[in-house]
Amino acid sequence: GVHAAVDLLNEYHGLLGTNAQSTVICGGEKNWLQCPQYELIKVKAAFWGREDQSTCPKAPAGLTTERLCGTNPANTTQKVKGQCENEQACELVASNIFFDDNTCGNVYKYLKVEHECVPDSANAVDVLK
């Protein structure tokens, strides 16, 4: 459920140390993940749902922030990785259409992504030549 997903995210925080960046995108919005030049995105964890009432509190008409809800974490992570993994930058859309997942019905959800930037080994090799 939601708590398992939250525990996972917290564990990732522990494992990642300082390099991890956390991005929250409210439902219906778009945002970019971006790494510095010659670095690539590694997606560590992704959560699509609602794990508290304080994140993205302004729900559009017809949606609620009152219920907490988690969607399939494997599907969420796979979709985010499909857009972003090993890219220098990527655009993410927090929507049921993108995730193909309407498990939570009228809950106003958000996407939370943990990623880190790692040096692009291909470029690193070029620099050394």
Side-chain angles (χ1 to χ4, degrees):
V2 178
H3 291 294
V6 176
D7 288 344
L8 262 178
L9 281 178
N10 290 338
E11 270 177 46
Y12 277 115
H13 275 300
L15 290 174
L16 287 175
T18 50
N19 291 337
Q21 298 171 41
S22 184
T23 305
V24 171
I25 309 175
C26 299
E29 294 178 9
K30 289 194 275 199
N31 206 338
W32 285 84
L33 300 187
Q34 193 157 10
C35 287
Q37 196 176 10
Y38 305 128
E39 292 189 18
L40 302 179
I41 296 166
K42 292 283 177 214
V43 176
K44 294 296 174 184
F47 173 83
W48 170 236
R50 175 164 289 278
E51 59 189 5
D52 61 49
Q53 287 166 348
S54 55
T55 307
C56 299
K58 293 182 169 46
L63 296 178
T64 179
T65 58
E66 294 300 306
R67 288 200 351 260
L68 302 185
C69 178
T71 59
N72 179 333
N75 174 63
T76 301
T77 303
Q78 187 184 357
K79 288 275 204 285
V80 170
K81 279 188 169 180
Q83 285 286 101
C84 297
E85 190 78 357
N86 296 321
E87 300 288 338
Q88 193 233 322
C90 64
E91 188 180 48
L92 285 171
V93 182
S95 72
N96 288 330
I97 295 167
F98 176 65
F99 290 107
D100 194 18
D101 188 331
N102 199 18
T103 322
C104 297
N106 69 341
V107 175
Y108 181 49
K109 298 188 289 298
Y110 52 83
L111 173 64
K112 191 171 175 182
V113 178
E114 304 277 336
H115 80 280
E116 60 182 355
C117 296
V118 298
D120 177 354
S121 51
N123 276 313
V125 171
D126 289 346
V127 172
L128 293 175
K129 279 177 189 163

